[in-house]
Amino acid sequence: MTTTETAAGVLPVLADVPPTELRVAVLGVGMMGADHVARLQSRISGARVVVVSDAFAEKADGVAAGVPGCRVVADPPAAIADPEVDAVVIATPGQFHQDQVLACIQHGKPVLCEKPLTMDAESSLAVVRAEDEYAARTGRRLVQVGFMRRFDPEYAQLRALIASGEIGEPLVMHCAHRNPSVPSHFTSEMMITDSVVHEVDVARFLLDEEAAAVTVLRPRATRHAVAGESDPLFVLLEMASGRMVDVECFVSTGIAYEVRTEVVAEDGIALIGLDTGLVRQSRGPAGAVRSSTITPSFKERFGRAYDIEVQRWVDAARRGGIDGPGVWDGYAAAVVAEAGVQALRTGGRTEVRMAQR
Ligand code: ISE
């Protein structure tokens, strides 16, 4: 069988994109799901949303009302099994992902599952095994995990630069991951599982190796932190080859959304994520100022990445496959996040124990 290497790993080469439109069910139409519905409707070609599902009926009704020909199917398993649904986007809360992804595999339907793949490493591994078994039977992969940063043009450029060898061997990576604010239920553990998990995926994506150990330090907390939680956190990932990745994760900056990644290599240094856009110079009360606007949230900062991710997923799903991070990437991120939570609780260095594929 012919194969090709993509962001998802080695995949069978699939036939050309078929002429029919992909009929998509979107499960969960909260902020992220509703954003995907809007994107599929207005900016993505080759697909249309035919079904939406949400635990809150009014939400589903409201979103469906804005999409011609879209039905509400309240029960997610029924939406997945629906004969008029070809593929599924999962944007429900994480605790529902395992069952919903397994149902998609069972029905042989391509699925784009927002992160996390599941709530812990063990259940993510169960999904890996189920999809591996399906792939062994059919030669097809079905599950793409929503690590959208891989589709961000700056991250893609940085990866290509590293791969070109122009800056030599990467040694250290510095990351900043800052949110202006988080809801009051957002704990320090969630800073690892919900936020730093993106840097875990980025480190694996850029450096092409697994993390071997995690240490989490708690700097002095901001007075704006959620009560009783440590914010910011400082996370150190030791990669298998000895490279190190540090992440300052700060989710109550009160400013804007910032994600910065700097790779320090033997023969050069590269930085992405300055997010400057237009830089304006003007005279303010305290003298001349140079200013630009920072994106307010990840929806804007990674809007382009989401569009590219979903378009590539649609194109691949129309051919019956995926084109992006898969179940193993979801599992690997879950294992490292779990080690990170352990490191946060104990204050010690925690080794990452990954299963064999
Ligand atoms: C959120 O869930 C995301 O996935 C964003 O990309 C991340 O930056 C944010 O910190 C998370 O809470």
Side-chain angles (χ1 to χ4, degrees):
M1 180 190 294
T2 333
T3 59
T4 184
E5 191 161 358
T6 72
V10 177
L11 289 174
V13 170
L14 302 158
D16 280 345
V17 173
T20 51
E21 267 188 330
L22 189 77
R23 296 166 303 174
V24 178
V26 178
L27 310 185
V29 287
M31 182 183 59
M32 207 58 244
D35 208 43
H36 282 322
V37 171
R39 155 173 302 112
L40 281 159
Q41 209 192 343
S42 58
R43 296 194 291 285
I44 303 298
S45 63
R48 72 197 151 92
V49 180
V50 294
V51 164
V52 292
S53 181
D54 199 281
F56 297 96
E58 332 72 74
K59 238 192 230 176
D61 290 342
V63 171
V67 183
C70 179
R71 290 179 286 131
V72 173
V73 176
D75 180 40
I80 294 166
D82 194 297
E84 284 172 13
V85 166
D86 304 314
V88 180
V89 171
I90 297 179
T92 50
Q95 67 265 32
F96 303 114
H97 290 187
Q98 182 184 9
D99 288 348
Q100 292 170 355
V101 171
L102 288 174
C104 291
I105 297 173
Q106 196 197 334
H107 288 278
K109 297 193 179 176
V111 51
L112 174 62
C113 178
E114 273 304 331
K115 59 111 238 261
L117 176 57
T118 70
M119 295 303 276
D120 56 41
E122 196 186 335
S123 53
S124 286
L125 190 59
V127 174
V128 169
R129 302 291 186 227
E131 203 218 32
D132 278 355
E133 194 269 321
Y134 177 88
R137 266 190 295 119
T138 62
R140 290 170 56 202
R141 297 247 162 234
L142 291 175
V143 186
Q144 184 164 328
V145 181
F147 284 124
M148 76 299 187
R149 289 195 196 174
R150 292 184 182 218
F151 299 90
D152 173 65
E154 286 191 353
Y155 274 108
Q157 236 183 315
L158 184 55
R159 182 171 146 96
L161 179 66
I162 294 170
S164 73
E166 277 176 52
I167 59 170
E169 199 50 56
L171 307 170
V172 164
M173 200 162 107
H174 303 293
C175 307
H177 185 157
R178 303 185 187 130
N179 291 10
S181 60
V182 283
S184 57
H185 68 267
F186 205 89
T187 60
S188 299
E189 293 193 1
M190 289 172 75
M191 289 170 67
I192 308 276
T193 57
D194 208 55
S195 302
V196 176
V197 72
H198 282 291
E199 272 73 22
V200 171
D201 185 62
V202 156
R204 296 181 62 252
F205 176 63
L206 293 177
L207 303 176
D208 256 332
E209 61 173 329
E210 299 296 351
V214 193
T215 306
V216 181
L217 301 174
R218 302 172 189 251
R220 177 180 168 152
T222 167
R223 70 182 197 285
H224 304 296
V226 168
E229 301 298 327
S230 296
D231 182 21
L233 290 180
F234 193 80
V235 179
L236 181 69
L237 301 176
E238 293 172 53
M239 305 304 283
S241 70
R243 293 163 174 154
M244 291 199 187
V245 177
D246 62 68
V247 187
E248 170 227 303
C249 182
F250 186 8
V251 296
S252 329
T253 65
I255 304 172
Y257 185 76
E258 291 175 85
V259 165
R260 223 170 279 165
T261 306
E262 183 177 35
V263 173
V264 180
E266 263 173 343
D267 302 310
I269 295 172
L271 169 66
I272 60 166
L274 290 179
D275 190 20
T276 43
L278 180 99
V279 180
R280 183 176 157 186
Q281 299 184 168
S282 53
R283 183 152 288 281
V289 289
R290 184 176 288 136
S291 63
S292 66
T293 309
I294 312 173
T295 43
S297 84
F298 57 89
K299 265 175 49 181
E300 297 81 17
R301 166 67 179 86
F302 289 112
R304 178 94 186 99
Y306 283 118
D307 286 353
I308 297 171
E309 172 192 54
V310 174
Q311 185 64 68
R312 279 180 46 184
W313 173 72
V314 164
D315 292 346
R318 289 174 76 198
R319 298 182 304 242
I322 61 166
D323 181 9
V327 284
W328 187 259
D329 301 299
Y331 164 71
V335 178
V336 180
E338 225 165 73
V341 168
Q342 179 72 5
L344 175 72
R345 285 180 190 162
T346 61
R349 175 182 182 275
T350 305
E351 291 195 358
V352 174
R353 306 219 173 277
M354 199 96 77
Q356 291 294 318
R357 187 153 203 190

